[in-house]
Amino acid sequence: MILHVASLDKFIPPFIELINEHFDSSKHQFWLSGDKEKYPYQTSNNIYQVKRTKAGRPKGLLYLAVQLHKADKVILHGLFNPYVVVMLFCMPWLLKKCYWVMWGGDLYTYQLGEKNWKWKVKEFFRRPVIKNMGHLVTYISGDVELARQWYGAKGQYHECLMYTSNLYKELKLEPKASSTLNIQVGNSADPSNNHIEVLEKLLPYKEQDIKIFVPLSYGDQQHAEKVIRLGREWFGDKFYPLTDFIPIDDYLKFLGDIDIAVFNHRRQQGMGNTITLLGLGKTVYLQQDTSQWQFFKSLNIKVKSVRCGDISVLADNLTESNKLKIKEHFSKETLLEQLSHIFGEGNGLPYQRAA
C-alpha cells in the first residue's frame, strides 16, 4: 500500500482524481488534514480526512502512526505539518520508505524563515528528518542540491512533475483586440512575491498603455491590502487587484490575456503559473539567482531577468520555441510515467506509455 500524507491545498484534489483515474486506487491511501470545504474533493474509501474537532487531531495522528507502519511507501506532499515532522523524528526507521515531494516553502524556510525560537525548534526536528529522508521528489534539481547543502539530505532524487498544475495546458488564444500591454505581478498575496519592488520598477511606464493585474486572493491579506493601496495610489485605474478566487478555467483565460508576467520571488515559487504562461507564449520575468531560473535555462527556455532595465515582450520566434519545449517537457504522459516509476511494480498499476 502507498500512503499519501497531505495538508489540503489547491493541488491535492486534482492529484487524488489523477491517481484514482489512472492507477489502482485500492493500492493508494490518502491521509488528509485541513479544510475540505475550501478544497473540496470527491469522497472515496481510500481517503481519511482528519476531523477539525478537539478529538479529531489526536485520533487522526494515531491513525497515521498505524498507517505509516503498514505502508510500503509513504508520499509526503510537502513537509509543512509540524505534527507529522515530529512523528517522523520520533520514528526514524520509517524515513527510508518516505518520499518527500518538495513544494518549495518547506525547503526555503531554512533560508527565508524568521530566525526566532519557533523556527529553531522546528528546525531541530526537521533537520534529521530531511537528512535521513529516503527519497526526494521534485522536477527542479537545484532544490535537491540545496536540500543536500543545507540539511545534508542523503535521499535518492526522483524527477517528477507531481501535480497537474505543472502540466502544459492547451488553450486557443483569440487575437488581441487592443494594444494595451497586460502585466501580471506575482501569483499570490504572499509577501515573498515582493510586489512593491516590482510596482516601483513599473512606475516609469505608468503613463503608457498598460494594465497591471495582481492576484491577491491567496495568502497574506494584510500584505494584500498594502499592495492594493499603493497600486491604486501609483497607477490609478490601470491597477487591477484580483481579490476573489477565480475558477481554473476562468483563470486560464485570464492568463491567456496576459502579455508579461513578473515573478519577483527569491526562491522557487509559482511554477504552475510560470509553466502555463510560457506554454501560452507569454514573456516571464524571474530572479536570476533562483533554482527555477537555472531549471528553465537547462531546458533552453528563454525567460527574462527582473534585474534588467526594460519591460518588453520576447520576440515571436523565442515565444514559439518556449511553447514547443513546454509542451514536450510538461506533458500528462510524462507525469504518469514518472509517477509509475515512483510507485513501482505491484503498487498501483504502473502507467504504460502508449505505443
Side-chain angles (χ1 to χ4, degrees), residues 8 34-43 49 52:
L8 278 170
D35 192 345
K36 185 182 177 182
E37 290 185 9
K38 187 175 181 180
Y39 303 108
Y41 57 84
Q42 185 173 349
T43 304
Q49 174 70 50
R52 305 182 77 190

Side-chain angles (χ1 to χ4, degrees), residues 121-317:
V121 170
K122 287 180 180 179
E123 287 298 290
F124 173 80
F125 289 104
R126 279 165 46 86
R127 175 167 290 278
V129 169
I130 293 175
K131 180 179 180 179
N132 296 300
M133 190 76 64
H135 306 267
L136 310 173
V137 183
T138 179
Y139 54 95
I140 300 179
S141 60
D143 283 356
V144 175
E145 293 169 12
L146 289 174
R148 300 199 193 288
Q149 177 185 330
W150 292 341
Y151 292 96
K154 299 180 287 188
Q156 180 183 351
Y157 168 40
H158 301 267
E159 182 181 3
C160 186
L161 301 175
M162 212 59 211
Y163 302 110
T164 57
S165 60
N166 294 325
L167 301 183
Y168 168 78
K169 295 161 185 71
E170 191 82 49
L171 184 65
K172 186 178 180 180
L173 299 180
E174 299 294 331
K176 281 198 70 172
S178 73
S179 60
T180 302
L181 193 67
N182 294 326
I183 303 171
Q184 177 181 343
V185 176
N187 71 305
S188 72
D190 194 305
S192 62
N193 285 269
N194 298 297
H195 300 95
I196 308 302
E197 188 177 292
V198 178
L199 294 178
E200 288 174 344
K201 287 179 180 291
L202 293 175
L203 276 172
Y205 303 89
K206 65 183 293 186
E207 302 303 328
Q208 296 187 22
D209 188 12
I210 64 170
K211 288 182 179 179
I212 300 172
F213 297 88
V214 188
L216 295 169
S217 62
Y218 184 76
D220 185 334
Q221 292 308 302
Q222 280 191 328
H223 177 71
E225 290 173 9
K226 180 181 178 182
V227 172
I228 292 169
R229 178 174 55 80
L230 287 174
R232 286 178 172 157
E233 179 183 329
W234 291 349
F235 297 96
D237 59 4
K238 294 181 179 181
F239 181 82
Y240 294 82
L242 307 177
T243 56
D244 295 325
F245 174 77
I246 304 174
I248 183 63
D249 290 341
D250 293 336
Y251 191 67
L252 284 176
K253 291 176 183 176
F254 159 72
L255 293 179
D257 289 331
I258 293 298
D259 298 299
I260 294 173
V262 185
F263 297 131
N264 195 27
H265 310 106
R266 301 296 196 274
R267 67 169 178 85
Q268 183 266 105
Q269 195 172 347
M271 283 297 289
N273 270 254
T274 306
I275 292 164
T276 299
L277 285 159
L278 290 168
L280 293 172
K282 310 302 181 178
T283 301
V284 175
Y285 283 75
L286 300 173
Q287 283 284 355
Q288 282 182 257
D289 54 353
T290 55
S291 57
Q292 67 262 41
W293 174 278
Q294 296 301 326
F295 171 70
F296 288 121
K297 185 178 179 181
S298 72
L299 295 177
N300 201 25
I301 292 171
K302 180 65 176 176
V303 292
K304 302 186 80 171
S305 172
V306 172
R307 297 174 188 170
C308 74
D310 74 312
I311 293 290
S312 60
V313 297
L314 288 171
D316 289 346
N317 64 313

Side-chain angles (χ1 to χ4, degrees), residues 87-142:
M87 187 177 292
L88 292 172
F89 175 89
C90 296
M91 303 175 183
W93 56 86
L94 296 173
L95 290 170
K96 62 184 177 182
K97 63 179 178 181
C98 287
Y99 292 68
W100 174 28
V101 181
M102 303 165 70
W103 281 32
D106 49 352
L107 170 66
Y108 287 87
T109 186
Y110 173 91
Q111 182 186 54
L112 303 175
E114 186 180 350
K115 306 299 191 296
N116 53 25
W117 69 270
K118 288 184 179 179
W119 178 89
K120 290 178 181 178
V121 170
K122 287 180 180 179
E123 287 298 290
F124 173 80
F125 289 104
R126 279 165 46 86
R127 175 167 290 278
V129 169
I130 293 175
K131 180 179 180 179
N132 296 300
M133 190 76 64
H135 306 267
L136 310 173
V137 183
T138 179
Y139 54 95
I140 300 179
S141 60

